[in-house]
Amino acid sequence: MFILQARDLSVPPASSKAVASLEGPVSVGLTAGDVVAVLGPSGSGKTTFLRCLAMLEPRAQGDVFFRNELIEPSDTPAFRRLVAYLPQQPPAVPMKVEDALAHPFSFRSAKGADFDRGAAKQLCGRLLLPSDVMNRWSPDLSVGESQRIALVRTMLTKPQVLLLDEFTSAMDPAGMAEAERLVTEWLKEGERAAVLVSHDSRQRTRLANRTITLEQVRPETMDED
Amino acid sequence: MTSEAELVSPGIIALTWFDLAVAASLILVAALVSLALKLGITSKIAVAALRTTVQLSLVGLILQWVFALERWYLVLALLSSMIINAGVAGVRRTQRRYGGIWTHGLFSITVCGLITTFVVTELVIGVRPWWEPRYIIPLMGMVLGNALTALSLTLDRVTNDLEVRRAEVDSWLALGATKWEAARPIVADAIRTGMIPIINTMSVAGIVALPGMMTGQILAGQPPMEAVMYQIVVMFMIAGACAMAALLSGLLAFRALTTARHQVASHLLRKIDG
């Protein structure tokens, strides 16, 4: 059985170049233990593809199934908690790091789960973040630090599928190694799978067991870039 | 019918067209400054002065006509055109638009204008008949003038932030937030922005300047305390209207720019040049 399956995903090109598109149609199925690396030239829509899998793209066409079931619109928040998208550049939110880490537990989809401060602190330590990081102001973090905080935050919500978008691109080698180890261990903890977008071919080799390739976008769309 | 002399209250000095010509010398000062310093706004000053004169004169003529005819449907027609103008003017000041923003602006302005004006003319003042133009027209005018500012500030802010701060909203959505949980800070910011002008106005009322309506009533010979009571009522009315306009337009824009699947539909926004 597929944990996560996508059928014929695409996003039609828009008149505005600021709006994302995905040539497609792209289909993929993830079984337990799968880590699929997404390949394709710059501008082919790798990020858009991950966002489609997380159902964040309002213009997306095609279907996404979680454990063979279509997701009702109202179940989307609960689905996204299980199929977690990590953006390449986590946006700075105007709050303290600890509050940003705890915030997802105030959502209805948390279903009463409580923020575990001890677990958060331990994960921060594992990812070699400074011991006072939880008291820092989120916008003051470096990109590498906010990538690690974003990973901690997502891990605390106990996802079953990770959609990783250049998740270590701004980390130093030691931080990257720890982040990869964290993901690898998480994969073994249950029926888990991940989709990986990474420019680092060695990282793809280390983490992924197979690849899919997105088509080059149409030339006229390229001109708008 | 009242005679010509009785149209003017005893305490007030009526102006003649000659008096207006004397006052026009003051606008000439502005024009001369612009000429001397080559500010390049001389023609703009002239056009603006002319517009003020023509527009206010026209409104004066219409008001005199409506006051004299005493027909409820004429009052209603005038109120309707004021509401439509306010809604259009409010939306026109926004920099980003979506399909439906005109309807939303008009709806918000209509609801807040009708409710607050009704409360004040019917429940507070007790105007009889309900459509007595001397009360309802200037009161609703003040409501609409302020509500359209609240409306445009709120709509401008919420549409701007849903596009510019989209990554922030998406990051909360990706962590399992509902669209309201994710976008609430943005909608709240926008509504707050819409209410700031009237809060500022209320805070400095009387300290920096006497509010316009109170000034008018005092000039017209009303005892200052009576004018003050009217002004307080009007301030509360305007504040209520601004709150309603900001809340309604903020929520309607939020609803239009998010989907049932808890997504941000900022691709529906078009940026207006200029």
Side-chain angles (χ1 to χ4, degrees):
Chain A
M1 183 180 76
F2 292 123
I3 301 179
L4 183 70
Q5 187 189 12
R7 256 186 235 156
D8 300 332
L9 286 185
S10 68
V11 182
S15 50
S16 161
K17 59 187 163 192
V19 177
S21 69
L22 173 65
E23 171 92 358
V26 191
S27 298
V28 69
L30 302 174
T31 53
D34 262 352
V35 179
V36 177
V38 185
L39 303 178
S42 186
S44 58
K46 297 190 288 294
T47 293
T48 307
F49 174 59
L50 290 191
R51 290 172 49 84
C52 286
L53 288 175
M55 295 206 252
L56 286 165
E57 280 297 335
R59 299 173 58 254
Q61 297 173 350
D63 293 317
V64 176
F65 301 84
F66 183 70
R67 298 189 182 278
N68 292 350
E69 292 203 37
L70 272 173
I71 311 302
E72 291 292 318
S74 59
D75 292 336
T76 315
F79 163 80
R80 292 199 186 113
R81 223 173 164 91
L82 296 171
V83 180
Y85 167 66
L86 246 89
Q88 176 177 7
Q89 288 200 337
V93 291
M95 42 177 100
K96 232 176 63 172
V97 170
E98 178 169 349
D99 297 334
L101 290 174
H103 194 50
F105 292 90
S106 70
F107 300 154
R108 214 169 50 193
S109 62
K111 298 195 176 85
D114 283 322
F115 172 59
D116 184 344
R117 193 176 187 281
K121 216 172 154 52
Q122 196 201 340
L123 277 173
C124 289
R126 258 200 80 172
L127 292 179
L128 312 175
L129 286 157
S131 56
D132 68 336
V133 72
M134 303 255 285
N135 295 319
R136 303 250 305 269
W137 184 244
S138 298
D140 292 341
L141 299 179
S142 71
V143 185
E145 284 171 329
S146 37
Q147 280 188 339
R148 281 178 281 171
I149 287 296
L151 181 59
V152 169
R153 186 169 62 182
T154 295
M155 284 307 196
L156 287 171
T157 62
K158 305 198 187 306
Q160 296 181 6
V161 177
L162 283 177
L163 308 170
L164 303 167
D165 192 358
E166 302 283 359
F167 78 120
T168 61
S169 60
M171 295 184 197
D172 56 29
M176 187 192 329
E178 287 300 331
E180 287 181 9
R181 200 168 303 144
L182 191 66
V183 169
T184 315
E185 283 174 21
W186 163 86
L187 270 169
K188 290 173 187 146
E189 282 168 18
E191 286 203 336
R192 306 280 166 84
V195 183
L196 174 75
V197 169
S198 173
H199 280 107
D200 181 347
S201 60
R202 284 166 304 173
Q203 180 173 62
R204 293 199 299 265
T205 316
R206 284 193 298 271
L207 293 177
N209 60 339
R210 58 197 184 91
T211 63
I212 60 167
T213 305
L214 301 184
E215 298 299 316
Q216 178 84 40
V217 286
R218 279 193 290 259
E220 63 264 29
T221 321
M222 286 273 284
D223 291 341
E224 289 179 357
D225 281 342
Chain B
M1 287 300 282
T2 46
S3 75
E4 193 77 7
E6 277 168 322
L7 274 173
V8 176
S9 340
I12 200 162
I13 307 157
L15 297 183
T16 63
W17 288 104
F18 176 74
D19 296 328
L20 286 192
V22 175
S25 64
L26 295 173
I27 206 72
L28 275 180
V29 174
L32 287 175
V33 168
S34 168
L35 272 180
L37 298 178
K38 296 193 169 66
L39 298 181
I41 52 169
T42 317
S43 62
K44 278 192 177 147
I45 292 174
V47 170
L50 206 66
R51 281 192 66 156
T52 290
T53 313
V54 173
Q55 287 167 5
L56 289 179
S57 303
L58 277 177
V59 167
L61 285 176
I62 294 172
L63 287 180
Q64 282 207 341
W65 180 64
V66 172
F67 283 18
L69 288 178
E70 295 188 335
R71 293 286 183 275
W72 63 270
Y73 49 85
L74 286 181
V75 177
L76 213 57
L78 196 56
L79 294 178
S80 307
S81 105
M82 285 162 66
I83 287 175
I84 292 167
N85 279 319
V88 169
V91 174
R92 194 172 276 159
R93 288 190 206 167
T94 56
Q95 283 194 310
R96 285 178 176 78
R97 312 228 175 109
Y98 55 89
I101 193 170
W102 296 96
T103 319
H104 290 171
L106 210 55
F107 176 78
S108 307
I109 283 285
T110 307
V111 169
C112 82
L114 290 183
I115 291 181
T116 46
T117 309
F118 171 82
V119 168
V120 167
T121 56
E122 286 299 300
L123 307 182
V124 178
I125 305 177
V127 178
R128 288 293 171 270
W130 64 267
W131 47 269
E132 170 59 53
R134 232 159 46 82
Y135 285 89
I136 201 164
I137 289 172
L139 285 172
M140 190 182 260
M142 282 188 287
V143 165
L144 295 176
N146 287 278
L148 85 85
T149 304
L151 176 94
S152 64
L153 287 173
T154 305
L155 283 177
D156 199 47
R157 182 70 186 264
V158 77
T159 51
N160 177 74
D161 281 9
L162 278 178
E163 185 162 311
V164 174
R165 290 168 68 186
R166 175 173 186 182
E168 190 184 325
V169 181
D170 275 348
S171 77
W172 294 129
L173 291 173
L175 286 155
T178 62
K179 58 184 184 177
W180 176 245
E181 286 167 334
R184 196 187 54 83
I186 281 176
V187 179
D189 271 358
I191 292 172
R192 193 179 306 124
T193 304
M195 293 195 58
I196 283 174
I198 183 59
I199 293 173
N200 288 345
T201 304
M202 283 199 291
S203 309
V204 301
I207 302 175
V208 178
L210 294 183
M213 191 197 70
M214 193 174 125
T215 308
Q217 285 188 314
I218 292 175
L219 281 176
Q222 200 148 48
M225 270 321 286
E226 278 179 32
V228 161
M229 285 174 71
Y230 256 93
Q231 188 62 54
I232 292 173
V233 167
V234 163
M235 284 289 186
F236 290 169
M237 169 179 80
I238 292 173
C242 288
M244 264 187 258
L247 185 74
L248 273 177
S249 60
L251 291 179
L252 286 171
F254 161 76
R255 224 181 58 131
L257 295 168
T258 52
T259 70
R261 204 173 260 298
H262 302 272
Q263 297 156 327
V264 182
S266 56
H267 65 276
L268 297 176
L269 288 169
R270 298 183 312 282
K271 196 151 197 284
I272 308 298
D273 297 322

